[in-house]
Amino acid sequence: MTPVSLLVVAKAPVPGLAKTRLCPPASPEEAADLAAAALLDTLDAVLRTPGARPVVALTGDLRAARRADEVRAVLRHCAVLPQRGDGFGARLANAHADAHRAHGLPVLQIGMDTPQVTPALLGEAVGLLDGHDVVVGPATDGGWWALGLREPALARRLEDVPMSRDDTGARTVRAFRDRVTAIAPGLSDVDDIAAAHEVARAAPGTRFAGALARLGVLR
């Protein structure tokens, strides 16, 4: 498989700051634990993806995070870079540039909201970068869970795309309409408790599913 910088844009799973839309029924501590589990599941898949050079663009204080020791242990196998920039679009654009600078490779970026992702699915998305300038993996909520770019400078276009909306995915595709674009398989990301239930049922063997089951709210 073509080598690629596999970029995870992540937030330290700190209570009160991570996955707050899961509250209620989860408490801030429980929501942060679910976020930590999702991050660990995601990093596991990234580290097992052939040809991937793992990069994590991180924001937040790991010292205050849930599962901090476990997260730190996994991050030792990744290039860890701070997020920088004002606004989410700018932080994404800078993360693409920094990930490309780290390894000099095309970049496939994901978040930490799809703990059901697998090395096979990531490999499929990476493979689409052969012969395409852009790869977009749509999310079921109208956003996207993956964005692959052969040219990191193209990520600057994200600064003009409104994020966290039900048309973010469509707007992102339009932002690259002058480039050869491929669409990767869709996934549900964990934005609320209903989506958390759906993801856990789809991937029952993950840390995320186990953490949700321990809360007693898995339907």
Side-chain angles (χ1 to χ4, degrees):
M1 180 152 316
T2 301
V4 68
S5 288
L6 192 35
L7 169 65
V8 181
V9 175
K11 178 186 292 186
V14 177
L17 298 177
K19 287 293 159 208
T20 55
R21 290 177 63 184
L22 300 181
C23 308
S27 69
E29 291 75 17
E30 290 167 336
D33 192 66
L34 287 168
L39 175 58
L40 290 165
D41 287 331
T42 300
L43 292 175
D44 275 354
V46 167
L47 290 169
R48 291 187 289 116
T49 300
R53 306 286 182 87
V55 180
V56 177
L58 185 67
T59 187
D61 186 359
L62 271 180
R63 294 171 298 181
R66 298 297 291 254
R67 308 196 193 201
D69 290 343
E70 194 176 354
V71 172
R72 283 196 193 95
V74 177
L75 289 178
R76 292 191 188 104
H77 302 285
C78 308
V80 181
L81 309 169
Q83 291 184 29
R84 57 188 182 87
D86 296 325
F88 191 45
R91 293 201 303 275
L92 291 177
N94 288 331
H96 274 260
D98 293 343
H100 178 74
R101 193 175 299 115
H103 297 300
L105 297 170
V107 177
L108 179 73
Q109 178 238 315
I110 63 173
M112 54 183 281
D113 296 335
T114 53
Q116 77 275 39
V117 75
T118 64
L121 184 56
L122 290 173
E124 182 177 350
V126 170
L128 289 171
L129 278 172
D130 285 332
H132 298 90
D133 301 317
V134 180
V135 175
V136 179
T140 54
D141 64 359
W144 47 267
W145 69 271
L147 178 67
L149 298 174
R150 296 199 64 84
E151 301 173 34
L154 290 174
R156 287 292 162 201
R157 300 186 186 188
L158 296 174
E159 297 184 55
D160 298 322
V161 176
M163 297 292 165
S164 302
R165 293 173 28 155
D166 59 8
D167 62 350
T168 293
R171 285 173 175 263
T172 300
V173 171
R174 286 201 297 271
F176 300 109
R177 60 184 174 273
D178 62 327
R179 297 291 178 145
V180 180
T181 301
I183 304 300
L187 282 182
S188 295
D189 51 16
V190 179
D191 282 333
D192 54 31
I193 199 65
H197 296 152
E198 178 184 347
V199 168
R201 286 193 292 268
T206 57
R207 291 181 183 86
F208 181 82
L212 189 59
R214 286 191 293 275
L215 300 185
V217 294
L218 179 59
R219 294 196 293 265

